[in-house]
Amino acid sequence: MTDDLERDVRYAVGLDLGDGESSLCWLPTTGRGQAKVHSRGTEGPSVVTALGRVPDPDLGHRVVIGEDAVLARNCLHFSVNFKNRHGHTDLQAVQFAQVFLAEFFAAHPKVREDYVLYVGHPAGWDRASVRAYQRQLGAMEVPVRLVAESQSALVHVRDRRAKGRDGSGLDRVLVVDVGSSTTDFTVVEDLIPRNLPVGAELGCREIDAALAAILRKDFADTPEFTEALARDGGPDMLMLVCRRAKEAQFTRRDLKLQDMKEGCADALVPLVTLSVERLRGVDVRERVVRAPGGWADRFAATLAEVRGHLGTPGPELVVLTGGGSRMPVVRELCAAAFSQATVENDTEPSLSVTRGLASIGRHRVNVARFRRDILVLKDRPEFVEAIRAGLLTAFDQAKATLLARLLERAEREDAEGEQNLDALIRELTGMDTVLADLRGTLEETLMPLVLGICRSYGIRDDQFTLDIALPEIIGTTISRRIRALWMMLRGSQTVLATATRVPQVGMMFLKRMLRGGVTPAKAGAAAATAVVVVALPKGAELGARRLIKTTVHRAALDPAEVDRLVTDVAERIADQMDQRAQEVERFLV
């Protein structure tokens, strides 16, 4: 049995700490409701992953996040795109998460009382990078778990598709999570996810950087632009404007200059104004994304690498998530790379990961609860009594079979050697049948208890089967007790075997006397003698039968031995149920 069960908590909080935008969801770990998305003022569910410092009369300065960091006129400094692979991710990500969580908990204090936080990380990160990120997030001093982002998106997709909770249509799935800093790939086969070590260097931020390079070149001789770019926060503001322009083209929404200028520091206004006007005339799709050697070519090469990892057969379904999946070229290239698969876009791709993170949190807590409920089942009185009754019935069945075989005057009334005696006892008791019947009885009696637990977690009856393998100690214990009986009854069994031969001996004696010329008087005496000879074994036979019946009926297992057997069998069955519980955990998603 495993000891690393998740802590039982009331809420699971998912935080998608994205390189471009971040979001937060939460849900109770009980029930099956959908995750709720935390909206932050006018920004809504997707918050700009930006961190800034503004003056504060009491503290000197305070940390702000999101649009407050980007558009505050009196912001001392702000930064965006600070989450990256190992070596580039720093404590700014932790600061952002702390402020974001503090705002959320202020609005939902009950969640703060009992929760676990699940944070996504790129699937392509190596273990060292994930461990480093875990250590950094540990500075928040909150219960935090890390989960691959594409795997989280998969869980959300499954929540949305598999309402029957059977994973239908998700046998061979490839999840493509197109984010700002990375593109993650998770393949699912037989409901088991596997994160592929590719795509860690391919993110949509490259498109933003390419647009920023165009602006830097076009306005290299424009003083207003270069002066604003050189100011504190200038490069970050330029990247933000480029990202918004890119998103506007792919979502078919106009990039409103006023929205970008309002609240922006006066020194950065020229940079925003010039950049927005220029980017409206740039065809991001053709000039940047589809340009030779551009993002689309790199994405196509990465898909080819993914195909190499997957081999044949390929996926049946390709699910596209992440903000970058809104680009038509993503669907186009995935359809070409996996022509036999159905390609599906998530309806709200920017929230797939965070919703999946919260759902994974609930899943893990429910898995822990499920396995605990299964493990403590062995201590329930009805469970223990079912095993005890089954063992006693098995012993009675072995005795009944033994009694019938003995009274049938079994020819093999004796055996030489331990192995022959064990084989004889196994045969006389029908031990194989006894144990098979006991196994069937226990499965029939215990399965309703197990299925009751499964149903409370929404697991169908056909998704949890229990094939009980009985420990050898059961047959050994019963055989040891039968061996003692056999030693006691061996003399009686000899009497039964002899009783069939003695009457024949008496008749032969009488005939010899008559052939020898015995007188009638002498013959009468001989006949009387023969009658005694014949009658005495009949009495002995009746006595032997009575002794066999009485001895077998009175035989019983030692109570202390029964207790040990019950405990042992309960532990063995609990081990098997725990192993089965691990196999069906995927049905709890």
Side-chain angles (χ1 to χ4, degrees), residues 1-71:
M1 300 181 195
T2 56
D3 299 320
D4 55 340
L5 299 182
E6 180 61 85
R7 186 167 67 91
D8 193 352
V9 296
R10 292 173 58 193
Y11 295 97
V13 179
L15 174 59
D16 179 18
L17 195 57
D19 190 50
E21 293 181 331
S22 298
S23 56
L24 186 150
C25 289
W26 84 103
L27 45 68
T29 55
T30 56
R32 300 174 194 168
Q34 292 185 344
K36 299 179 181 178
V37 183
H38 175 61
S39 292
R40 187 175 186 269
T42 59
E43 288 187 83
S46 295
V47 179
V48 177
T49 307
L51 189 75
R53 292 186 297 118
V54 297
D56 185 280
D58 298 321
L59 302 175
H61 73 271
R62 59 186 177 87
V63 176
V64 294
I65 63 173
E67 288 184 350
D68 294 341
V70 177
L71 302 178

Side-chain angles (χ1 to χ4, degrees), residues 12-17 22-27 35-38 45-46 100 118 120 149 152-153 156 348-361:
V13 179
L15 174 59
D16 179 18
L17 195 57
S22 298
S23 56
L24 186 150
C25 289
W26 84 103
L27 45 68
K36 299 179 181 178
V37 183
H38 175 61
S46 295
F100 200 8
Y118 290 83
E149 290 165 353
S152 306
H156 166 64
E348 293 184 283
S350 61
L351 297 177
S352 299
V353 170
T354 185
R355 281 179 169 146
L357 287 167
S359 186
I360 280 180

